[in-house]
Amino acid sequence: MAARGVHLDHGQRRDWLRLIRTENVGPRAFRGLVNRFGGAAAALEALPALARRGGGLIPPRIPTASEAEAEMEALARLGGRFIAIGEPDYPAPLREIDDAPPLLAVRGLPELLNRPVVGIVGSRDASGAGRTMTARLARGLGEAGWVVASGLARGIDTAAHEASLPTGTIAVIAGGHDKPYPRENQPPLERIAEVGAVLTEMPMGWEPRARDFPRRNRLVSGISLGVVVVEAAERSGSLITARLANEQGRLVFAVPGSPLDPRSGGANGLIKQGASLITSADDILEALAPLLGRSIPSALEEREYDTSAIVDPTENTRSRVLSLLGPTPLPVDDIIIMSGASVSDVQILLLELELAGRLERHPGGTVSML
Amino acid sequence: MAARGVHLDHGQRRDWLRLIRTENVGPRAFRGLVNRFGGAAAALEALPALARRGGGLIPPRIPTASEAEAEMEALARLGGRFIAIGEPDYPAPLREIDDAPPLLAVRGLPELLNRPVVGIVGSRDASGAGRTMTARLARGLGEAGWVVASGLARGIDTAAHEASLPTGTIAVIAGGHDKPYPRENQPPLERIAEVGAVLTEMPMGWEPRARDFPRRNRLVSGISLGVVVVEAAERSGSLITARLANEQGRLVFAVPGSPLDPRSGGANGLIKQGASLITSADDILEALAPLLGRSIPSALEEREYDTSAIVDPTENTRSRVLSLLGPTPLPVDDIIIMSGASVSDVQILLLELELAGRLERHPGGTVSML
């Protein structure tokens, strides 16, 4: 992996950070902008005009260069740095997902990110048996050379991190590096930041809210080739991770439990839905072995584009696309077909609306107007 | 079901009993004989000559008519009677299996045999949770109109019978009706014989040996449309039942448990191999619902045959077939192809060897010489 990919220089990395920290710019809009304008710097320049054309009354707030520098320095003071998608240290499986973060803020040992990773997630209110099982799985995976990723929560997550500390553990957090959650986990976090890795896509200073946890969960599965659910009640966050893992094409494993124990409801339910029942690390290793050594294409690279050939959509095209959009999510593919506009035109028009804060993207490639 | 099938008269039933109680006559040989000679009486007449031709030095021991009458009377004194394959009370799904017993000795309510049946089996050393789960499943199935079958062992079997007593329970035993096993189960057995049904294919007076239990297990699955394994260690009798159920085309369900509990090893292993993970009676009912109301063809009926057209195999054919047989099990189909003999000739020659005690039949349609 080390030989491939690009390296951003300091200025490019700062521009990437400014762009991804810009209001209304998520990973998909970021990719659309960089792909269209050939780089973050050009995208930042084009952004105010795009948002205006999208109907934004107030231009989106773009962090200044010094604000971005300040965030980079704050992360560096914690021993961390930003790794960009396309760079060698960026986790290869994460590049495959649709909404891969363009920048990861990483503390600890970034080399862990490119060893094969298994996610282990489960209930905060884990039973003793659940924690024992978790430790057994994490140790077995670690001894076989796999890194264990989890979410640093109480219960299963903590058991997974602790058991894999000697062999390699990655904590994915939902807030900024200076705002870990829950507070009680501050000591294990610092230990993981020394001998493992801690990563987040959220800005320094970000206090995680409820909606940030599912968003974080997509990264736990995204950096993993498979995800193991140990104990999970029905309707729990671990099941969200399992669903995201499945959508990302990752293998989903579940540890069975007695139907009389509500903490087994989620994992048993996953098995009913097709997840693999596992009872040992060997079961997981056997299923994952064929996935090792796959090469994964890069989703985005900073490079020189010839943007001179790109022509803006006509007013006619713009109004045809706009007339199709409403509060009901509609597949982008359908918008292209129904409008008769080019793929490129539809993409830029949607991007403009997104930057203006008027468009929402949903899973499965659908969009709606806010 | 009540309108179809044949009814044996008293003499026919006695002859069926004599034939199936004859040395070296198992269910497959019984079927071969009745199909070839048109009935049990004619088969009994032909039997000594067949065994002689098969190389038997001592003719197989055939019970006398009065011995058979005595067994029928002994069963009647316990309130039981023999039901023949093809008769309306014979369990319809059992007719489908390859080695269906021609006669079942049944005590209790034979009408239970033709309601839809689910087998529930599991460990003798069941946990409290396992017994609770079993009772919950058995009650749920019973309330939905299903009869529960099991093997009257301690643990899961007993829990299954007890919970389904009010709604319908069938105990399948490995010995004769006067030799229940284990002894401790005498009281539940008598209770089941009053309000449920108890069945066996073994003769009155038969003390069950180790090899009779797997044989019995094929009847538990054979009368059922599906079999549930609740708690089972690896390498347990319940797994034999599950394997037989699978071979018989029955659905196999397993209740998951913690991998830390060795009593869950068997059931978890079954799920890994493709059994359905279930956590409630509803899961089972949902899977079995599509199987209700299938019509099942009868495998064997007592009727008038024109046996005059049947010509015995030539000596040449006999020696060709014999030369192929040895201690290594060989598929009957291969014997037919390799010998160039007719299907009918090969069948009667194998039957002769079987009656002479020189041939053993194995699962999957293979035979070997003893």
Side-chain angles (χ1 to χ4, degrees):
Chain A
M1 295 308 301
R4 56 172 303 169
V6 293
H7 285 273
L8 301 191
D9 64 27
H10 180 81
Q12 284 173 322
R13 198 176 310 274
R14 183 197 57 219
D15 289 342
W16 276 48
L17 188 58
R18 289 181 68 201
L19 185 56
I20 192 61
R21 295 287 185 253
T22 294
E23 196 182 358
N24 302 330
V25 175
R28 286 192 193 81
F30 183 98
R31 188 168 58 190
L33 287 164
V34 169
N35 280 339
R36 185 165 188 102
F37 296 101
L44 286 166
E45 262 178 61
L47 213 142
L50 290 172
R52 202 159 43 240
R53 287 212 305 243
L57 302 177
I58 305 160
R61 160 105 182 90
I62 301 175
T64 63
S66 60
E67 284 168 336
E69 295 277 1
E71 185 178 349
M72 291 164 81
E73 282 158 22
L75 179 58
R77 277 194 298 276
L78 289 176
R81 63 185 173 88
F82 285 102
I83 299 173
I85 195 166
E87 291 191 316
D89 285 339
Y90 195 91
L94 188 60
R95 286 208 307 263
E96 280 187 326
I97 77 170
D98 193 37
D99 51 354
L103 283 175
L104 288 178
V106 180
R107 296 177 67 199
L109 314 176
E111 58 268 34
L112 290 179
L113 303 182
N114 265 307
R115 277 174 43 202
V117 177
V118 176
I120 301 184
V121 297
S123 174
R124 288 175 164 71
D125 306 319
S127 70
R131 288 196 302 268
T132 298
M133 191 66 206
T134 301
R136 191 177 288 190
L137 294 176
R139 265 196 304 273
L141 291 166
E143 282 161 12
W146 287 71
V147 173
V148 171
S150 195
L152 205 76
R154 278 191 293 122
I156 299 299
D157 286 20
T158 296
H161 288 304
E162 281 174 356
S164 57
L165 260 183
T167 48
T169 201
I170 301 174
V172 186
I173 59 176
H177 273 295
D178 51 351
K179 300 285 179 186
Y181 174 91
R183 298 257 169 255
E184 59 188 280
N185 275 332
Q186 190 72 36
L189 177 73
E190 287 312 313
R191 183 92 184 99
I192 295 170
E194 275 168 38
V195 300
V198 184
L199 64 85
T200 184
E201 64 179 322
M202 303 310 280
M204 293 295 285
W206 187 269
E207 287 274 7
R209 302 150 306 169
R211 54 179 279 187
D212 295 323
F213 292 93
R215 182 175 175 166
R216 180 274 311 272
N217 293 352
R218 93 186 193 288
L219 299 186
V220 174
S221 54
I223 64 173
S224 305
L225 297 181
V227 169
V228 189
V229 178
V230 179
E231 270 186 346
E234 303 189 65
R235 268 180 260 279
S236 66
S238 307
L239 298 193
I240 296 175
T241 310
R243 179 174 56 73
L244 294 169
N246 191 47
E247 286 172 7
Q248 292 167 352
R250 308 300 148 89
L251 295 184
V252 179
F253 306 99
V255 176
S258 166
L260 299 179
D261 186 343
R263 285 172 296 209
S264 301
N268 287 342
L270 286 173
I271 297 167
K272 285 185 192 171
Q273 290 160 39
S276 301
L277 180 151
I278 61 103
T279 55
S280 68
D282 283 345
D283 289 343
I284 301 166
L285 293 168
E286 197 179 313
L288 288 177
L291 303 187
L292 287 175
R294 275 190 319 157
S295 79
I296 293 169
S298 177
L300 185 146
E301 286 181 11
E302 177 96 352
R303 56 194 149 154
E304 294 304 309
Y305 278 76
D306 177 10
T307 53
S308 62
I310 299 177
V311 178
D312 285 333
T314 63
E315 272 313 307
N316 189 354
T317 302
R318 180 182 306 273
S319 65
R320 276 209 312 282
V321 169
L322 269 173
S323 70
L324 293 168
L325 292 166
T328 306
L330 192 67
V332 173
D333 289 350
D334 288 4
I335 297 169
I336 293 166
I337 292 165
M338 291 160 80
S339 67
S342 70
V343 173
S344 157
D345 278 1
V346 170
Q347 280 174 345
I348 191 70
L349 289 171
L350 296 180
L351 194 51
E352 288 172 7
L353 292 167
E354 193 174 3
L355 294 173
R358 295 174 63 199
L359 185 103
E360 196 171 11
R361 294 189 187 266
H362 310 279
T366 65
V367 293
S368 66
M369 289 288 269
L370 291 172
Chain B
M1 296 306 300
R4 57 172 303 170
V6 294
H7 285 272
L8 302 190
D9 65 28
H10 181 80
Q12 284 174 321
R13 197 175 312 272
R14 182 197 57 217
D15 289 342
W16 275 48
L17 188 58
R18 290 180 68 202
L19 185 56
I20 191 61
R21 295 288 185 252
T22 294
E23 197 183 355
N24 301 331
V25 175
R28 287 192 191 82
F30 184 99
R31 188 169 57 189
L33 287 164
V34 169
N35 280 340
R36 185 162 188 103
F37 296 100
L44 286 167
E45 262 179 61
L47 213 144
L50 290 173
R52 203 158 43 237
R53 287 211 305 244
L57 302 177
I58 305 161
R61 160 106 182 87
I62 302 175
T64 63
S66 60
E67 284 168 337
E69 295 277 1
E71 184 178 351
M72 292 165 81
E73 281 158 23
L75 179 57
R77 277 193 299 274
L78 289 177
R81 64 185 174 87
F82 285 103
I83 299 171
I85 195 168
E87 291 191 318
D89 284 340
Y90 194 91
L94 187 60
R95 285 208 308 263
E96 281 187 326
I97 77 169
D98 194 37
D99 52 353
L103 284 174
L104 288 177
V106 180
R107 298 177 66 199
L109 313 176
E111 59 267 32
L112 290 180
L113 304 182
N114 265 306
R115 275 172 48 197
V117 177
V118 176
I120 301 183
V121 297
S123 174
R124 288 175 163 73
D125 306 318
S127 70
R131 288 197 301 270
T132 299
M133 191 64 206
T134 303
R136 193 178 285 189
L137 294 175
R139 267 197 302 273
L141 292 166
E143 282 160 12
W146 287 71
V147 173
V148 170
S150 195
L152 206 76
R154 279 190 292 122
I156 299 300
D157 286 21
T158 296
H161 287 306
E162 280 174 356
S164 56
L165 260 183
T167 48
T169 200
I170 300 174
V172 185
I173 59 176
H177 274 295
D178 51 352
K179 301 285 179 186
Y181 174 91
R183 299 254 170 256
E184 61 187 281
N185 273 333
Q186 190 71 35
L189 177 73
E190 288 310 313
R191 184 88 184 102
I192 295 170
E194 277 168 36
V195 301
V198 184
L199 65 85
T200 184
E201 64 179 322
M202 302 310 280
M204 292 295 285
W206 187 270
E207 286 274 7
R209 302 152 305 171
R211 55 180 277 189
D212 295 325
F213 291 92
R215 182 175 174 166
R216 181 275 310 272
N217 292 353
R218 91 186 194 288
L219 300 186
V220 174
S221 54
I223 64 174
S224 304
L225 297 181
V227 169
V228 189
V229 177
V230 178
E231 270 185 347
E234 302 189 66
R235 270 179 259 280
S236 66
S238 307
L239 298 193
I240 297 176
T241 309
R243 179 174 55 75
L244 294 168
N246 193 46
E247 286 171 7
Q248 293 167 353
R250 308 301 148 88
L251 295 184
V252 179
F253 306 99
V255 176
S258 167
L260 299 179
D261 186 343
R263 286 173 295 212
S264 301
N268 287 343
L270 286 173
I271 298 166
K272 285 184 192 171
Q273 290 160 40
S276 301
L277 181 151
I278 61 102
T279 55
S280 67
D282 282 346
D283 289 343
I284 301 166
L285 293 168
E286 198 180 311
L288 288 176
L291 304 186
L292 288 175
R294 276 191 317 158
S295 79
I296 293 169
S298 178
L300 185 146
E301 285 181 12
E302 177 95 353
R303 57 193 147 153
E304 294 304 310
Y305 279 77
D306 177 10
T307 53
S308 61
I310 298 176
V311 178
D312 285 333
T314 64
E315 274 312 305
N316 188 355
T317 302
R318 181 182 306 273
S319 64
R320 276 209 313 280
V321 169
L322 268 173
S323 70
L324 293 169
L325 293 166
T328 307
L330 193 68
V332 173
D333 289 349
D334 288 4
I335 297 169
I336 294 166
I337 293 164
M338 291 160 79
S339 67
S342 70
V343 173
S344 159
D345 279 359
V346 170
Q347 281 174 345
I348 191 70
L349 289 171
L350 296 180
L351 194 51
E352 288 171 7
L353 292 167
E354 192 173 3
L355 294 173
R358 295 174 61 200
L359 185 103
E360 197 171 11
R361 293 187 187 268
H362 309 278
T366 66
V367 293
S368 65
M369 290 289 268
L370 292 170

